[in-house]
């Protein structure tokens, strides 16, 4: 029987287990023996989903050492010969996957959003060219199918049925750990765009004029957010980036100012009730998702709308 392995992200083991859906789509129900590789932590949430879970206790100071984790998974692969290895496309998984691929001397398909398996060949779909194209990649003759897959794209709906065998490993490392942890702590944040009811969000169409967004956000009691274009340009902090490599937000109203609406940006919008987009190009993809589209300059829109809101408020005083 074929064997398939899923790497469990240490920040989100339960969600990583959803990638069993990838295995199911490739091999069918019960078509492969399923394994999980976990590094420390509690396994309660994932018991009953896998045939075997291999739990590695990381030596002190090595929790962030992806090379070491990849070495342990390679040792497991040398013993079990997996025909498929799936890694969540999270921050952690994206660091680990290429290291493991090099160790296994195999190819890696990154950021997979769709998978089909037929007659021994596996087809994987992933966004390309900033999400403007979807690339279909077929695995024809490699012994191992290896991919990183997006957690938001797969949901495993099977009931827990299996008795999971748990195998504990406490590997030793020689010498000093290569990474020294000096301090650990959570970053303090006073405001989180994920809590916002209304988000006023800016993109490449506003660039250096981004501070003007506060002019509109303030009277609406909204928070400001941005696309990655502004984060990469050093205009806004990553903490307010919406999208696949930023945050997933669910405000009642999302006002998209000068945002094109790439797949990676849209992925960060979950159950948003209404989108208002302001764009000089009415054919930008975000417009087709919007309840209201304003064709025109975003800064002019901010100035006109904020002045109108201010006047309305003054009338009410
Ligand atoms: C692996 C990966 C992960 C990514 N993750 C993210 C992510 O998490 N979040 C994210 O946002 N992106 C992400 N991206 C980048 C993404 O593909 C796009 O490049 C980015 O979203 C584009 O940002 P934008 O729409 O603001 O800018 P642009 O693509 O530059 O679009 C600007 C828009 O503004 C309009 N415009 C121009 N001038 C004006 C004006 N004066 N008034 C009104 N409208 C105007 C234009 O018509 C256009 O539609 C990722 C890419 C990759 C490869």
């Amino acid at each position: 029987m074929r064997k398939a392995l899923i790497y469990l992200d240490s920040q989100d083991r339960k969600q990583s287990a959803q990638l069993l859906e990838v295995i199911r789509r490739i091999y069918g129900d019960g078509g492969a023996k399923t394994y999980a590789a976990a590094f420390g932590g509690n396994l309660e949430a994932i018991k009953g989903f896998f045939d075997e879970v291999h739990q590695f206790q990381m030596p002190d100071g090595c929790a962030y050492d992806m090379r070491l984790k990849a070495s342990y998974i390679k040792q497991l692969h040398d013993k079990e010969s997996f025909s498929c290895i799936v890694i969540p496309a999270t921050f952690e998984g994206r660091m680990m996957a290429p290291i493991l691929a090099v160790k296994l001397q195999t190819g890696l398909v990154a950021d997979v959003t769709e998978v089909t398996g037929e007659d021994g060949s596996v087809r994987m779909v992933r966004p390309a060219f900033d999400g403007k194209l979807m690339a279909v990649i077929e695995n024809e003759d490699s012994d191992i199918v290896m991919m990183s897959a997006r957690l938001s794209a797969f949901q495993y709906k099977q009931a827990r049925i299996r008795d999971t065998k748990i195998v504990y490993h406490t590997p030793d490392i020689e010498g000093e750990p290569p990474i020294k942890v000096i301090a650990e702590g959570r970053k303090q944040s006073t405001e989180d765009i994920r809590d916002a009811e209304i988000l006023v969000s800016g993109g490449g169409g506003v660039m250096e004029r981004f501070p003007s967004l506060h002019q509109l956000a303030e009277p609406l009691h909204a928070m400001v957010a941005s696309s990655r274009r502004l984060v990469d340009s050093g205009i806004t902090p990553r903490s307010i980036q919406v999208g696949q490599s930023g945050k997933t937000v669910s405000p009642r109203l999302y006002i998209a100012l000068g945002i094109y609406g790439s797949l990676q940006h849209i992925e960060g919008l979950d159950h948003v009730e209404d989108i208002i987009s302001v764009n000089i190009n009415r054919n930008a993809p975000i417009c087709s998702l919007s309840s209201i589209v304003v064709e025109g300059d975003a800064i002019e829109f901010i100035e006109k709308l904020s002045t109108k809101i201010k006047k309305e408020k003054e009338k009410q005083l």
Side-chain angles (χ1 to χ4, degrees):
M1 189 187 235
R2 290 200 181 88
K3 295 179 179 179
L5 175 76
I6 291 175
Y7 170 80
L8 301 182
D9 185 295
S10 56
Q11 302 297 315
D12 210 339
R13 292 181 177 80
K14 193 174 174 192
Q15 192 62 26
S16 305
Q18 300 294 318
L19 296 180
L20 280 163
E21 176 62 15
V22 174
I23 312 289
R24 198 186 68 76
R25 290 193 198 174
I26 297 174
Y27 300 115
D29 287 317
K33 186 171 176 186
T34 55
Y35 291 70
F39 289 84
N42 189 332
L43 298 178
E44 267 322 299
I46 51 112
K47 264 189 192 164
F49 284 110
F50 294 90
D51 292 302
E52 280 189 26
V53 174
H54 287 257
Q55 161 83 299
F56 295 87
Q57 290 306 331
M58 292 296 278
D60 282 348
C62 293
Y64 304 103
D65 190 340
M66 296 300 151
R67 283 177 305 174
L68 198 58
K69 290 186 179 181
S71 301
Y72 295 156
I73 296 179
K74 180 176 182 303
Q75 284 168 21
L76 189 61
H77 172 73
D78 289 344
K79 195 165 152 264
E80 303 288 349
S81 297
F82 299 113
S83 51
C84 180
I85 298 180
V86 186
I87 292 169
T90 53
F91 286 119
E92 188 178 304
R94 284 184 177 131
M95 279 195 278
M96 224 278 300
I99 303 173
L100 180 60
V102 170
K103 284 188 188 293
L104 298 180
Q105 300 203 328
T106 191
L108 166 70
V109 182
D111 263 341
V112 170
T113 55
E114 182 64 57
V115 177
T116 50
E118 225 172 88
D119 302 331
S121 86
V122 178
R123 280 185 162 206
M124 291 157 275
V125 179
R126 56 149 300 166
F129 296 106
D130 271 7
K132 293 183 177 87
L133 279 181
M134 299 307 275
V136 181
I137 297 157
E138 194 162 321
N139 184 74
E140 284 183 337
D141 52 11
S142 168
D143 290 340
I144 318 170
V145 177
M146 188 172 163
M147 73 185 87
S148 66
R150 289 199 198 154
L151 291 178
S152 55
F154 299 96
Q155 267 206 322
Y156 186 64
K157 296 210 173 86
Q158 307 301 96
R160 294 182 182 212
I161 42 168
R162 296 199 176 96
D163 284 334
T164 301
K165 178 179 167 190
I166 305 211
V167 184
Y168 293 97
H169 303 261
T170 42
D172 283 332
I173 58 158
E174 283 172 20
E176 283 289 301
I179 292 176
K180 192 172 173 191
V181 180
I182 297 162
E184 269 181 308
R186 278 198 169 273
K187 201 172 158 216
Q188 292 295 321
S189 151
T190 46
E191 279 201 332
D192 190 328
I193 55 169
R194 289 173 292 200
D195 300 330
E197 287 270 293
I198 304 175
L199 274 177
V200 176
S201 189
V206 297
M207 293 302 270
E208 289 77 14
R209 303 289 306 275
F210 182 81
S212 308
L213 269 68
H214 291 281
Q215 200 181 320
L216 181 59
E218 212 175 289
L220 292 176
H221 303 293
M223 286 187 208
V224 292
S226 85
S227 74
R228 181 162 150 180
R229 170 73 21 104
L230 300 195
V231 176
D232 288 347
S233 308
I235 295 168
T236 54
R238 193 162 294 280
S239 59
I240 64 164
Q241 179 190 317
V242 172
Q244 183 207 107
S245 51
K247 287 180 176 164
T248 301
V249 295
S250 309
R252 268 192 305 111
L253 176 63
Y254 188 74
I255 305 178
L257 301 161
I259 292 178
Y260 174 76
S262 67
L263 201 68
Q264 291 91 350
H265 187 81
I266 298 302
E267 228 179 80
L269 301 178
D270 184 30
H271 292 101
V272 177
E273 275 177 38
D274 285 297
I275 300 175
I276 297 176
S277 53
V278 184
N279 205 300
I280 51 170
N281 172 14
R282 65 159 79 181
N283 295 317
I286 190 119
C287 299
S288 61
L289 302 171
S290 304
S291 317
I292 297 172
V293 174
V294 179
E295 188 179 3
D297 177 61
I299 301 299
E300 200 183 323
F301 172 85
I302 292 173
E303 279 161 5
K304 285 192 173 155
L305 186 58
S306 55
T307 309
K308 181 121 180 84
I309 295 171
K310 211 169 152 195
K311 276 190 184 153
E312 286 299 317
K313 285 198 169 175
E314 279 168 4
K315 262 197 236 166
Q316 287 166 17
L317 286 176

